[in-house]
Amino acid sequence: MAKTPSRKLAVILHADVVGSTKLVQKDESIAHERIQAAFRRLSKTSEDYGGTAHEIRGDALVAEFSRASDAVCAALVFQAENTGHNRNLSDDIRPEIRVGISLGEVVVADGTITGAGVILAQRLEQLAEPRGVVVQGSVSETVPTRLPFEFESLGEQALKGFDQPVRAFAARQKPGAVIPGPESTTTNTELKDAVADIAEERPPLELSDKPSIAVLPFTNMSGDPEQAYFADGIAEDVITALSRFHDLLVIARNSSFTYRGASVDVRQVGRELDVLYVLEGSVRIAGNRARITAQLVEAMTGNHIWAERFDRSLADVFEVQDEITALVASTVGQQVHVAESKSALKRDEQDLRARDLVARAQWHTDHMTEEGFAKARELCVTAIERHPQYVGAHSLLAYINIMELIYGWGHRSPRDLATDAAEAARTAITIDPDDEAARTFLAMVHWLSGKHDAAIDECETVIRFNPNFAYAVGVLGIVHAFSGADAYEHAVECLDRAIRLSPNDPWLQFYFAHRGTAEFVIGHYETAIEWFQRSIQRNPDLPTAHRLLASACALKGDLEKARAALDEVKRLVPDFSIAGYTQRIKQVFKHEEDFERMVEGLRLAGAPEE
């Protein structure tokens, strides 16, 4: 009895033999034998990389994969092996294979696989050169950049049977690079059985060393089909915004939007798209108001990590989309970081990978303690020893040096800390020139070294590419806050936006404190004091805010509050002195008179000179 057909999203590899008719005309039996042998080798290679060879159709083969990276690996490894195999043949009956790879919906029944995904893979394969591999655009976007592949754009192709043009890319192995071997020798059938038996214990799925996320099409709850464009627009904009975060791997729209209109379990989405997180939402429009909900879900468990509701006027629909996109993109980036840190903390440290070590280190830095930063440094050093090219470890090490410099933690000189921070940041940028965090940390090193213009240029470079990267926006605001009265409006604009973009950020205490610094510089002491107090409410153990508060209160004439604030500084930094403060901090003020006014307030509050 035939099994009920099952539909699913899959990566499909379609291969055929170039000029098979001519080969058969030379010697039918030899050609047939060699074609079948080539396909058996391709089937074996596909299975080694976790795929399933569903069928061999004469001079064609169809295989299914759950991950695009595995399909591309298998195809390129086979092509290299088959070229070598053919080179050793004494005659010219040499089956050359071309391969197409697509991502789409398929139907599996009675041992056969059909559907749009299979047809698309076949059409792409027909674009390939002999011994070549051509992939769909969404496949190239899904493959991790760490893998040694090059994708040459073939432009948009009008393919038979498809209404819309399809972006196609020729996939190649980078010269001199080595394609990674299969992750496991377990056969695909054994793997499927194992997953069925231990579904609850399945380890996190990965497409790369980065946290991965899929944004599903937002559900139109308005009852008006005409409003579906708005729901799709929100989700598409969020995908675009999230894609700018280089520490996230974001599944392309063409893949995640195949779930439109379907009732799906996010755990199923996680398995089919190989992502750790899923963002889903809905849109309801009534009159001139829109209500948008969004929630971030851990794909493996189905647990909700974060949810938010946005109620907005539709006076300008594009402004509504931009605002929601910025908020969701920034907050999701932060929430993924939090979830990654918690996950890493649960693992045995001996088994931690580089990313896990860095996630655990980030958890320690978020608590803003001297002991936490010392532990974070150890974890980052271990991560670099295990994986010297892991950009996140170098980037976070730069941040650790910066914060130890600002706080005066440890026993190293400010000069050494600044030098090490710059070296770590530049190493990260060398590995990945687009790493936003590393460039922002380099901007902080410039600022702490008194190079305000260089710091501003670095931050603006990041923001041009990713306007929703709250940390770069906030650091730019801080640099402007210390750049004098002329930069006041820039400081306020950037810091207010950073606070809006990431309202639960661990750096919120600094944004509050230096929002007050901007007010201090132009002499608005009352407003500055309010911001310093907000920072202290956020973190009572932040010396920076207490120090600023002591100076502002003293200059305002409230010496009692100034002395109380200075007592808190001494509690947190027992050896605090104006001389030590000057040595570490003076250069962060662009204008010496602003620094001298800050020091004047500290003297009035009773701060010791030495």
Side-chain angles (χ1 to χ4, degrees):
M1 181 177 179
K3 294 182 179 179
T4 302
S6 63
R7 292 181 177 272
K8 62 180 177 179
L9 189 70
V11 179
I12 298 299
L13 180 154
H14 194 285
D16 81 351
V17 178
V18 180
S20 59
T21 301
K22 290 183 179 180
L23 294 178
V24 170
Q25 289 172 348
K26 292 179 180 179
D27 189 309
E28 183 175 355
S29 60
I30 293 177
H32 178 76
E33 178 184 342
R34 289 180 180 175
I35 289 172
Q36 293 302 302
F39 282 145
R40 284 194 296 271
R41 294 195 303 274
L42 179 52
S43 297
K44 177 62 168 60
T45 303
S46 297
E47 290 175 359
D48 287 344
Y49 280 91
T52 300
H54 279 282
E55 52 192 313
I56 298 176
R57 304 167 174 170
D59 64 348
L61 176 142
V62 179
E64 170 200 354
F65 295 79
S66 60
R67 302 198 305 187
S69 55
D70 289 337
V72 177
C73 281
L76 292 177
V77 165
F78 167 77
Q79 292 289 34
E81 292 176 347
N82 195 55
T83 298
H85 183 275
N86 284 342
R87 192 177 294 123
N88 293 325
L89 296 176
S90 59
D91 53 44
D92 60 355
I93 304 177
R94 303 178 179 185
E96 291 188 331
I97 311 297
R98 56 184 180 180
V99 176
I101 301 175
S102 71
L103 176 63
E105 187 176 273
V106 296
V107 178
V108 180
D110 296 330
T112 63
I113 185 167
T114 58
V118 176
I119 297 172
L120 178 55
Q122 182 182 18
R123 297 287 185 260
L124 291 167
E125 163 247 292
Q126 292 166 357
L127 300 175
E129 298 290 335
R131 304 188 300 278
V133 179
V134 170
V135 305
Q136 183 183 358
S138 57
V139 170
S140 68
E141 292 166 353
T142 305
V143 173
T145 56
R146 62 182 169 82
L147 293 177
F149 303 145
E150 295 176 337
F151 294 100
E152 177 190 352
S153 176
L154 303 179
E156 291 192 339
Q157 298 285 331
L159 302 180
K160 182 180 178 181
F162 292 86
D163 295 334
Q164 300 296 324
V166 176
R167 290 183 303 121
F169 292 81
R172 300 185 183 91
Q173 181 179 351
K174 290 182 178 178
V178 178
I179 297 175
E183 294 183 359
S184 171
T185 57
T186 305
T187 67
N188 197 52
T189 301
E190 291 169 342
L191 181 59
K192 289 180 178 178
D193 291 342
V195 168
D197 291 340
I198 56 170
E200 295 303 316
E201 299 177 8
R202 179 177 178 170
L205 294 166
E206 290 184 287
L207 283 171
S208 74
D209 288 333
K210 303 176 182 180
S212 48
I213 184 170
V215 180
L216 299 183
F218 279 31
T219 303
N220 174 26
M221 304 289 289
S222 305
D224 179 3
E226 293 297 320
Q227 299 298 341
Y229 80 94
F230 182 76
D232 282 356
I234 294 292
E236 289 173 359
D237 285 351
V238 172
I239 290 172
T240 300
L242 285 174
S243 297
R244 294 172 179 158
F245 287 80
H246 284 276
D247 56 351
L248 291 178
L249 188 150
V250 185
I251 298 299
R253 174 198 184 281
N254 286 353
S255 298
S256 58
F257 268 47
T258 59
Y259 294 93
R260 181 195 280 110
S263 177
V264 295
D265 185 329
V266 293
R267 288 171 292 189
Q268 175 190 349
V269 174
R271 288 192 297 270
E272 293 179 349
L273 296 183
D274 268 5
V275 292
L276 299 176
Y277 305 97
V278 174
L279 181 71
E280 56 185 359
S282 65
V283 177
R284 184 185 300 276
I285 298 177
N288 66 344
R289 304 288 297 178
R291 169 169 293 179
I292 297 95
T293 64
Q295 54 190 8
L296 181 65
V297 184
E298 188 176 43
M300 186 174 67
T301 64
N303 293 334
H304 285 69
I305 297 173
W306 163 86
E308 186 59 88
R309 186 179 74 188
F310 307 91
D311 288 305
R312 297 291 186 270
S313 167
L314 286 177
D316 188 325
V317 66
F318 297 109
E319 287 185 7
V320 173
Q321 285 182 308
D322 291 345
E323 180 182 3
I324 291 170
T325 296
L327 286 170
V328 171
S330 179
T331 308
V332 164
Q334 176 63 26
Q335 289 298 327
V336 168
H337 153 62
V338 171
E340 288 291 301
S341 299
K342 289 180 179 178
S343 177
L345 287 170
K346 296 176 183 178
R347 301 191 183 105
D348 184 332
E349 190 164 323
Q350 296 303 314
D351 296 330
L352 291 174
R353 299 161 297 171
R355 195 189 76 198
D356 297 323
L357 288 161
V358 171
R360 184 177 285 198
Q362 287 175 323
W363 182 88
H364 285 291
T365 62
D366 286 348
H367 289 72
M368 294 292 176
T369 66
E370 184 172 0
E371 297 77 13
F373 271 79
K375 180 61 178 175
R377 179 184 289 278
E378 293 177 9
L379 292 166
C380 281
V381 170
T382 301
I384 291 169
E385 289 173 349
R386 294 185 184 180
H387 192 163
Q389 293 298 107
Y390 185 56
V391 65
H394 295 283
S395 182
L396 188 60
L397 188 58
Y399 173 68
I400 291 167
N401 282 297
I402 288 167
M403 297 309 296
E404 289 183 343
L405 170 59
I406 291 174
Y407 276 92
W409 286 332
H411 306 286
R412 304 172 66 218
S413 70
R415 180 184 295 273
D416 287 345
L417 288 168
T419 299
D420 289 351
E423 181 181 351
R426 290 193 173 102
T427 299
I429 293 168
T430 298
I431 297 169
D432 182 359
D434 295 327
D435 189 82
E436 295 146 345
R439 287 195 173 277
T440 306
F441 295 146
L442 183 59
M444 288 199 71
V445 175
H446 287 321
W447 168 58
L448 291 168
S449 303
K451 302 173 183 176
H452 294 73
D453 291 342
I456 290 170
D457 288 345
E458 202 70 60
C459 285
E460 288 181 342
T461 296
V462 175
I463 294 168
R464 274 196 299 272
F465 183 74
N466 184 358
N468 298 315
F469 191 59
Y471 188 56
V473 176
V475 170
L476 180 59
I478 291 172
V479 177
H480 281 309
F482 284 85
S483 296
D486 291 344
Y488 169 77
E489 291 184 0
H490 292 303
V492 170
E493 178 184 356
C494 290
L495 286 165
D496 286 352
R497 177 165 171 75
I499 292 166
R500 180 67 170 141
L501 279 173
S502 193
N504 295 310
D505 200 296
W507 257 65
L508 206 60
Q509 56 194 323
F510 292 103
Y511 299 156
F512 287 163
H514 296 307
R515 179 67 173 77
T517 300
E519 302 292 344
F520 179 98
V521 167
I522 64 171
H524 293 172
Y525 299 129
E526 188 70 45
T527 306
I529 288 168
E530 293 175 1
W531 282 104
F532 298 150
Q533 289 173 334
R534 287 184 67 181
S535 177
I536 291 167
Q537 289 173 356
R538 184 79 181 181
N539 180 4
D541 295 331
L542 181 63
T544 300
H546 290 291
R547 186 174 58 243
L548 293 165
L549 179 61
S551 182
C553 286
L555 292 173
K556 183 175 175 291
D558 194 339
L559 292 180
E560 183 178 351
K561 287 185 179 179
R563 294 185 183 113
L566 187 62
D567 286 342
E568 288 298 298
V569 175
K570 293 176 179 177
R571 173 181 68 84
L572 297 165
V573 188
D575 60 349
F576 176 78
S577 68
I578 289 176
Y581 176 60
T582 300
Q583 182 185 10
R584 286 191 303 109
I585 301 298
K586 181 177 181 179
Q587 67 276 7
V588 305
F589 287 86
K590 187 172 186 178
H591 304 294
E592 186 172 349
E593 58 268 28
D594 293 331
F595 174 75
E596 292 300 335
R597 185 151 46 93
M598 181 75 71
V599 169
E600 178 189 352
L602 291 172
R603 288 196 177 101
L604 290 172
E609 291 290 339
E610 299 290 344

